[in-house]
Amino acid sequence: MNPEIIRVVGYVVAVIAFVALNAAMLVWMERKVAGHIQRRIGPKEVGPFGILQSFADGIKLMTKQLIVPEGADVLLFKVAPMLVMIPAIMCFVTIPFSEQLAARNINVGLLLIFAIASVNVFALLLGGWASNNKYAVISAARAVSQNVAYEIPMLITAITVVMFTGTMNLQEIVLGQAGGFWNWNIFPVGKNIGMVVVMPISFLIFFICSMAETNRAPFDLGEAESELVAGFHTEYAGMGFGLFFLGEYANVFIGCSLSVILFLGGWQGPFGLLPGVHWFLLKVYFLIFVVMWMRWTFPRTTFYGLLNLSWKILIPISLFNLVLTGAFIKVF
Amino acid sequence: MGTESIQSPIVQFVALDKLIAMGRANSLWPLTFGLACCAIEMMATGCARFDLDRFGAGVFRPAPKQSDVMIVAGTISKKMAPAIQTLYEQMPHPKWVIALGNCAISGGPFVFEGQYGIVEGADKFLPVDVFIPGCPPRPEALIEGILELEEKITGSRRWPRVEAG
Amino acid sequence: MSEMACDKHKETFVLNMGPQHPATHGVLRVKLVMDGEYIVEAEPVLGYIHRMHEKMGENRTWAQFMPNMGRLDYLGALSYNHGYAAAVERAAGIAVPERAEYIRVMTVELNRISSHLLWMGAYLLDLGGFTPLLYAFDDREKILDMLERVTGSRLTYCYFRFGGLYNDVDDQFLAEAKGFVARLRSRLPMYHTLVTKNVILMQRLKGIGVIDADMCRRYGVTGPVARGSGLNYDVRKNEPYSVYPQFDFDVPVYTEGDSMARYMVRMDEIEQSLRIVEQAIDGLPDGPVMAEKVPKIVKPPKGDYYHAVEAARGSFGVRLVSNGTNTPYRMKLRSPTYSNLSLLAEVAKGVTVADAVAFMGSLDLVIPEIDR
Amino acid sequence: MLRDRIKTALAALSPLEITETDHAKKGYDLDVQVSPDQVPAAAEAIRQEEFFIEAVTGVDWFGEQAAIVAEAAKVKAAAAKKAAAAAAAAAEAGGEAVPPAPAPEAPAEEAELLPDVMEVVYDFSHYQENCRVVVRTRVPRDNPELPTISSIFQGANWHERETHDFFGIRFLGHPDLTPLLLPEDADFHPLLKDFKA
């Protein structure tokens, strides 16, 4: 048998395990972070520091009765949660955790991630629509228009990075940022002094968009609980809901790791120190912490405020940024 | 009944059952559902000082499909009772009900001869697992109620019981 | 509705918000006719927590009805205690010692602060911000501890008696209250940086749910909602009762009439209540806390009487009809949010669900007080 | 003075009675009795003076007429007894044959039992000045009907609906009198004095 296939299969298993464990860890982390921001301690009694809390939740969700609501489209209703998970797992294929640790080094890796991640919104739409619940339908419609709106500035800013680095291969993008934090794309003083103006803005737009893409607060309009009860997963019980949950955290991880790869040097150390998976995870988890921090600090925007932000502010700025990038690459 | 010996199944999943019970007991997500005064104390229990989340029970879910325990916090009016019944039926098994406060236990102070508006206790139409008296009960009482429910699920108590006096 | 259905360009559907819904703060149900995200018609459906308070008033004695006041509006229960006690005292001609009135004012204002704090937290929860709720509850717990010390309960107080109070305050309460005033004063700027100055909050509240003065008049709106619409109406000033004339405090008024104005009124009111509490502690006179000649069984003379107080949510009025016996003949409780909510149908027309939630939250609804 | 202004405005409607009351004792300043069909006109006059509506409610005076009659009979009987006693005393003192006092008439005959009434009470207050006006009207208990004021004060809509819930008083011209606080299909009126659950 081709050892390459074994390697890929092994990697897929590892990725699934990683996604599940990582999501469990992130749920625990979210609750702990929330607790400490909110002057309480969060989960504490289940295992040391409450670390087993997510496993208890997992066991419970898996052993819960599954309900398909009356009038729902049974097939789509059951498919939707899986559709959330599958693209999330597939995205991990091309993410370089370190120089060696990547399943497949694809030379259009960035494009692949964007293409696959877009399926996610399809799952939300199906889930919301198949539930036969008005709240879920409204929420699904919201999620779709939100994703469409934020995909555009996100892609445009990604293009600035691609223009700057000249490649769509994630591994090469990371390699191009070697040598120290002054070579990172967010503030590339070491490489192109002109891009110093453009890249921080690109990073900001990219980060905001990835937060909106993953339906995280303050952009969590899809599951705005004070308006739409629980949004598109109102009718999902047990593990169906659990998969939506896992998918959300997997997407948060992908969004943050893309930010890290494109702008923060991927697995490169800040001073040209040992490169490796530790740096990568450290940076990603820091960004995830920032995402959580935002969630527990800000109230939710309105739907129209959200669309205005994208169409009227982020898209023009990102287009302007694109033009500047072209100019600076030519000039410097 | 009690004296009959029940044949035990050939394959036993005691350990698995125990694990599942532990998981369920430590992850009791309540339904965000307040009726009256007691709901405020329920909120207080979830908030900074008492922090129900320590026991994994602080995830208040707004949708009945995703919650495990319904805390009936407040007076049940006759107009509201069918809605509560529906909510209970929408919750997936296994599910539990806590009657928080005197109103949910028996109608509390609103019972008088010739009353026309309320249902005298949640147990008139729901299988209540834990009753928590008080008007309204203190947050500590709700925590104790959650611990009681955990004991009911797992058969063992998390902390030793404190005797009065 | 039928016109809507005929109009082919507009496809409306009915959305039921509640009776179990996170934004309805209990068991209010709002029937929404929606056109996409926009509300075409909103009709509140009440009565899901109708607890027969007015009927109960007719079959218990004057004193036995007092505990109901704690259950009527459990967030600002002491104002309701005050309103009822004052109404019966007015009817029966009972004079209350000054020390008792000072303590009444002090506890009522502390209760008002706790109510506003909870409102602030819950309102932010409606808007999707979770953390302020926990901060507010943290401060609120301090008030509850103090009040529990003197009244014996955390929430549903039954502290006032006809002619005075159930018991006197002690030095520890006064010291704690003083400490609390200083503490909350230092924390209010934190609330403003965390919440008030937040861009998202401003964007969500400014210009949302505008109520003008004439609409207030037509619907009988009182309290912070009226004060947010430029009406300088506060029962404590307009119709002075108890010992309020002896205190120096301002009535915050904002003229914009939007949700932000109502938010600011309540935040400013917390500061004013702190001022009143401080003055009440400093000027607390000695003396008894119970009038001496209060009959064991109160029997107000025949006739009807009205007394209004400024509760946390607006003007709470008690209309008593006595027939000279030991039970009330008729007990009408005029609750402020009942009137305040009644304008929802008019304001919510044509706004989005999210804005309707922001508007409804800014009314500070306590449903059991509406349904009674 | 607002109180005088509103008093003259209401007096123009020729109400049944206007009383100025002591605010400290009663809690309101002006007590106006009108007939049911005058209510909208009174409300309009009050609206002109920029009052706002506090509440609308009812009071069921069930058995009031019977009580009045019983009271009158009691007074009469007492008076007759007193007169008889006086006559007897006089007879004893004078020893003369006094014509016997006329037998007291049967109470049912002399005071005919008026139908019981229900009172509808409207509370108004003012945002600027301390002035509360109470408007009362009485409707017969067996056919309680009066015009609505919900087109003048929109806030009265819910108050009138509630009054209909509790007392069964019908407000003519009200847009929607379905039960508000009671269940939608409720056909009872709990605050009536003869209500039994």
Side-chain angles (χ1 to χ4, degrees):
Chain A
M1 215 157 135
N2 190 346
E4 179 65 11
I5 291 176
I6 296 172
R7 198 177 72 87
V8 168
V9 168
Y11 198 84
V12 165
V13 171
V15 160
I16 293 175
F18 176 76
V19 169
L21 287 177
N22 179 56
M25 214 287 269
L26 286 182
V27 172
W28 173 79
M29 178 174 156
E30 173 111 53
R31 284 168 82 169
K32 271 301 203 194
V33 167
H36 284 277
I37 286 177
Q38 295 166 346
R39 304 168 71 86
R40 57 195 180 90
I41 37 184
K44 173 175 171 287
E45 300 294 338
V46 190
F49 304 106
I51 194 111
L52 296 177
Q53 183 60 55
S54 303
F55 295 98
D57 287 343
I59 291 171
K60 182 206 68 180
L61 284 174
M62 277 188 267
T63 57
K64 227 39 198 159
Q65 182 192 11
L66 287 172
I67 298 179
V68 179
E70 205 176 311
D73 189 321
V74 180
L75 180 70
L76 293 184
F77 187 81
K78 285 182 177 165
V79 161
M82 297 172 205
L83 263 184
V84 175
M85 272 321 277
I86 291 167
I89 291 169
M90 278 171 76
C91 283
F92 278 91
V93 166
T94 182
I95 288 179
F97 282 69
S98 77
E99 197 161 6
Q100 292 81 32
L101 207 56
R104 217 40 165 140
N105 192 11
I106 303 165
N107 59 1
V108 285
L110 190 59
L111 193 65
L112 185 83
I113 287 187
F114 278 125
I116 294 174
S118 306
V119 177
N120 182 35
V121 64
F122 194 56
L124 304 192
L125 177 66
L126 285 186
W129 184 79
S131 303
N132 187 29
N133 179 314
K134 285 170 189 166
Y135 289 113
V137 174
I138 296 180
S139 154
R142 277 184 178 192
V144 170
S145 40
Q146 177 180 340
N147 272 267
V148 169
Y150 280 84
E151 202 97 311
I152 299 167
M154 193 169 177
L155 283 173
I156 295 173
T157 44
I159 290 173
T160 59
V161 178
V162 172
M163 280 169 73
F164 182 51
T165 56
T167 173
M168 274 203 178
N169 186 329
L170 293 177
Q171 194 69 280
E172 280 176 27
I173 291 176
V174 175
L175 286 171
Q177 303 177 59
F181 65 86
W182 50 87
N183 283 338
W184 291 1
N185 281 345
I186 184 171
F187 207 65
V189 253
K191 293 203 287 189
N192 184 333
I193 204 77
M195 293 303 282
V196 168
V197 189
V198 176
M199 278 303 178
I201 301 172
S202 285
F203 172 71
L204 211 62
I205 294 175
F206 191 86
F207 191 58
I208 290 174
C209 290
S210 68
M211 233 163 24
E213 283 276 294
T214 47
N215 283 321
R216 291 289 300 186
F219 307 110
D220 60 338
L221 289 156
E223 46 190 310
E225 62 173 43
S226 57
E227 295 149 30
L228 302 176
V229 188
F232 48 84
H233 53 64
T234 304
E235 293 290 338
Y236 280 92
M239 213 48 211
F241 165 69
L243 283 179
F244 273 115
F245 224 68
L246 283 182
E248 179 180 328
Y249 283 101
N251 281 327
V252 169
F253 189 89
I254 292 166
C256 288
S257 49
L258 264 190
S259 300
V260 167
I261 290 166
L262 293 185
F263 294 97
L264 297 177
W267 39 263
Q268 307 277 6
F271 307 105
L273 287 174
L274 298 168
V277 69
H278 304 93
W279 278 116
F280 181 75
L281 288 181
L282 202 67
K283 288 176 199 171
V284 170
Y285 280 120
F286 174 73
L287 280 191
I288 291 176
F289 170 73
V290 173
V291 169
M292 288 174 180
W293 188 4
M294 305 265 269
R295 167 164 183 188
W296 297 109
T297 309
F298 287 121
R300 188 182 301 120
T301 58
T302 54
F303 185 54
Y304 294 92
L306 179 90
L307 292 185
N308 280 343
L309 177 67
S310 170
W311 292 104
K312 291 186 183 164
I313 300 173
L314 293 185
I315 292 181
I317 292 182
S318 58
L319 280 173
F320 184 63
N321 235 358
L322 188 67
V323 174
L324 272 187
T325 310
F328 285 141
I329 289 174
K330 202 81 189 155
V331 173
F332 293 97
Chain B
M1 265 293 276
T3 52
E4 288 171 35
S5 65
I6 301 164
Q7 280 196 332
S8 55
I10 300 167
V11 186
Q12 286 193 343
F13 295 107
V14 178
L16 185 63
D17 283 347
K18 261 191 181 164
L19 186 70
I20 290 173
M22 288 282 281
R24 285 172 175 169
N26 284 311
S27 164
L28 291 166
W29 294 358
L31 179 62
T32 315
F33 169 57
L35 288 167
C37 329
C38 295
I40 302 296
E41 288 297 62
M42 188 170 83
M43 280 164 79
T45 317
C47 280
R49 186 171 178 187
F50 300 98
D51 193 11
L52 207 48
D53 209 21
R54 284 178 296 157
F55 310 98
V59 187
F60 284 86
R61 294 303 309 173
K65 295 270 162 70
Q66 295 149 15
S67 39
D68 310 294
V69 50
M70 175 189 243
I71 302 179
V72 184
T75 322
I76 305 159
S77 69
K78 281 182 182 155
K79 198 171 177 177
M80 190 66 197
I84 297 174
Q85 178 96 42
T86 312
L87 284 174
Y88 178 74
E89 280 160 9
Q90 281 186 347
M91 284 163 61
H93 283 282
K95 52 189 170 182
W96 295 276
V97 178
I98 293 180
L100 182 69
N102 289 353
C103 288
I105 294 174
S106 67
F110 300 100
V111 178
F112 58 93
E113 211 170 304
Q115 67 92 356
Y116 59 88
I118 63 161
V119 177
E120 297 178 8
D123 56 345
K124 291 271 187 297
F125 62 101
L126 293 179
V128 180
D129 293 284
V130 178
F131 293 94
I132 305 172
C135 190
R138 293 184 57 90
E140 290 93 328
L142 178 53
I143 291 177
E144 171 66 24
I146 295 278
L147 295 184
E148 286 280 336
L149 190 55
E150 287 178 0
E151 187 181 354
K152 189 172 174 176
I153 296 167
T154 60
S156 61
R157 199 179 152 82
R158 188 191 289 277
W159 289 325
R161 199 181 301 273
V162 181
E163 294 302 329
Chain C
M1 249 312 281
S2 55
E3 298 160 19
M4 283 298 172
C6 291
D7 191 350
K8 278 188 181 153
H9 301 291
K10 279 212 171 116
E11 210 176 293
T12 59
F13 61 99
V14 177
L15 191 68
N16 249 320
M17 219 158 123
Q20 183 263 336
H21 187 282
T24 52
H25 293 250
V27 285
L28 174 69
R29 173 172 155 217
V30 187
K31 255 194 218 161
L32 300 171
V33 180
M34 308 274 299
D35 175 19
E37 287 251 345
Y38 287 95
I39 296 170
V40 180
E41 234 172 279
E43 189 202 348
V45 182
L46 309 181
Y48 286 95
I49 189 78
H50 175 57
R51 299 199 279 190
M52 313 166 286
H53 282 293
E54 291 185 7
K55 183 75 183 173
M56 282 174 89
E58 291 175 19
N59 57 34
R60 23 204 75 188
T61 66
W62 296 93
Q64 277 172 348
F65 189 58
M66 188 58 118
N68 280 49
M69 289 298 123
R71 275 85 190 160
L72 193 56
D73 172 358
Y74 38 79
L75 296 184
L78 281 170
S79 305
Y80 289 72
N81 272 244
H82 201 177
Y84 178 61
V88 175
E89 281 154 10
R90 171 173 277 169
I94 301 168
V96 184
E98 201 175 21
R99 183 178 170 88
E101 282 293 3
Y102 263 76
I103 296 171
R104 281 183 179 186
V105 166
M106 205 188 303
T107 48
V108 163
E109 293 304 321
L110 281 173
N111 200 204
R112 189 190 310 279
I113 296 171
S114 83
S115 167
H116 281 349
L117 278 175
L118 189 137
W119 166 80
M120 196 267 278
Y123 188 33
L124 263 290
L125 193 62
D126 281 355
L127 299 175
F130 202 86
T131 302
L133 177 77
L134 286 104
Y135 280 50
F137 258 82
D138 197 26
D139 281 334
R140 186 174 167 270
E141 287 287 342
K142 305 269 182 302
I143 301 178
L144 296 193
D145 279 355
M146 283 189 291
L147 289 180
E148 188 181 11
R149 199 180 157 73
V150 292
T151 66
S153 64
R154 273 167 58 88
L155 208 59
T156 48
Y157 311 108
C158 177
Y159 178 46
F160 297 173
R161 298 288 181 271
F162 306 136
L165 301 168
Y166 153 66
N167 69 359
D168 201 350
V169 297
D170 54 6
D171 291 338
Q172 193 183 334
F173 171 80
L174 295 177
E176 276 176 14
K178 214 156 188 174
F180 175 78
V181 170
R183 176 194 151 89
L184 191 61
R185 279 232 173 97
S186 67
R187 275 174 71 84
L188 275 176
M190 187 272 288
Y191 282 115
H192 283 299
T193 14
L194 176 69
V195 180
T196 316
K197 289 178 188 158
N198 190 310
V199 202
I200 299 178
L201 185 92
M202 284 195 196
Q203 173 219 336
R204 289 209 59 177
L205 298 191
K206 280 207 172 143
I208 299 302
V210 179
I211 303 171
D212 60 19
D214 185 57
M215 200 193 271
C216 291
R217 225 166 259 133
R218 284 188 285 123
Y219 282 98
V221 171
T222 50
V225 183
R227 289 194 283 278
S229 302
L231 289 165
N232 186 0
Y233 179 73
D234 187 320
V235 184
R236 289 174 293 176
K237 288 273 190 198
N238 287 47
E239 199 179 333
Y241 60 95
S242 187
V243 286
Y244 277 109
Q246 299 179 22
F247 296 116
D248 177 29
F249 65 99
D250 302 322
V251 179
V253 176
Y254 285 77
T255 50
E256 291 88 349
D258 56 2
S259 300
M260 192 71 195
R262 294 187 276 279
Y263 171 87
M264 288 310 295
V265 166
R266 294 206 179 86
M267 292 310 276
D268 289 0
E269 254 177 43
I270 293 180
E271 278 170 48
Q272 298 304 327
S273 292
L274 287 177
R275 274 176 75 187
I276 298 175
V277 172
E278 202 172 33
Q279 289 171 46
I281 297 170
D282 290 340
L284 184 65
D286 284 335
V289 291
M290 195 67 197
E292 270 171 20
K293 283 178 188 159
V294 181
K296 266 231 164 99
I297 299 164
V298 182
K299 285 184 185 173
K302 258 186 187 176
D304 63 344
Y305 308 89
Y306 193 87
H307 197 290
V309 292
E310 182 72 20
R313 270 151 278 278
S315 148
F316 167 64
V318 184
R319 165 170 287 285
L320 303 173
V321 180
S322 168
N323 58 354
T325 58
N326 62 352
T327 47
Y329 188 75
R330 170 86 177 97
M331 172 88 64
K332 163 74 185 170
L333 307 165
R334 189 265 179 206
S335 62
T337 30
Y338 187 79
S339 300
N340 294 2
L341 179 66
S342 63
L343 48 69
L344 177 74
E346 192 171 329
V347 177
K349 251 179 207 153
V351 305
T352 59
V353 185
D355 289 347
V357 167
F359 169 70
M360 236 159 74
S362 76
L363 294 177
D364 192 2
L365 303 177
V366 171
I367 310 301
E369 182 232 23
I370 296 174
D371 289 351
R372 283 159 297 157
Chain D
M1 238 331 242
L2 181 68
R3 190 205 280 214
D4 301 327
R5 280 212 311 278
I6 189 70
K7 200 176 166 186
T8 44
L10 287 171
L13 300 166
S14 68
L16 303 176
E17 198 183 328
I18 293 191
T19 341
E20 278 195 32
T21 48
D22 182 4
H23 191 103
K25 279 216 177 95
K26 286 289 208 178
Y28 46 86
D29 298 282
L30 213 56
D31 190 336
V32 188
Q33 288 264 9
V34 297
S35 61
D37 47 344
Q38 281 176 330
V39 169
E44 188 58 51
I46 286 167
R47 169 108 178 88
Q48 293 300 324
E49 293 293 336
E50 301 203 321
F51 278 80
F52 70 90
I53 185 159
E54 284 261 10
V56 179
T57 189
V59 183
D60 180 18
W61 291 109
F62 176 64
E64 189 203 26
Q65 296 299 329
I68 290 171
V69 169
E71 184 75 7
K74 219 156 100 190
V75 169
K76 187 137 190 157
K81 203 170 176 186
K82 207 171 163 192
E92 220 163 75
E96 289 297 310
V98 187
E105 294 167 46
E109 272 170 29
E110 60 146 7
E112 49 186 296
L113 210 56
L114 288 168
D116 271 321
V117 292
M118 280 199 273
E119 195 176 359
V120 184
V121 186
Y122 299 79
D123 278 295
F124 298 98
S125 180
H126 201 271
Y127 282 130
Q128 271 83 40
E129 285 182 59
N130 180 10
C131 180
R132 279 180 194 278
V133 177
V134 180
V135 176
R136 301 162 194 280
T137 185
R138 293 191 157 219
V139 290
R141 200 168 182 277
D142 46 7
N143 184 28
E145 272 186 349
L146 75 164
T148 177
I149 62 161
S150 61
S151 50
I152 302 163
F153 287 99
Q154 275 77 1
N157 185 328
W158 280 16
H159 290 294
E160 285 179 353
R161 251 174 102 179
E162 180 199 304
T163 312
H164 176 256
D165 275 19
F166 286 167
F167 296 96
I169 298 172
R170 289 186 299 280
F171 292 86
L172 302 174
H174 189 283
D176 177 23
L177 273 184
T178 50
L180 180 68
L181 297 180
L182 301 178
E184 273 130 355
D185 54 351
D187 54 354
F188 53 93
H189 303 294
L191 284 191
L192 292 177
K193 288 284 173 189
D194 54 354
F195 167 79
K196 295 271 180 296

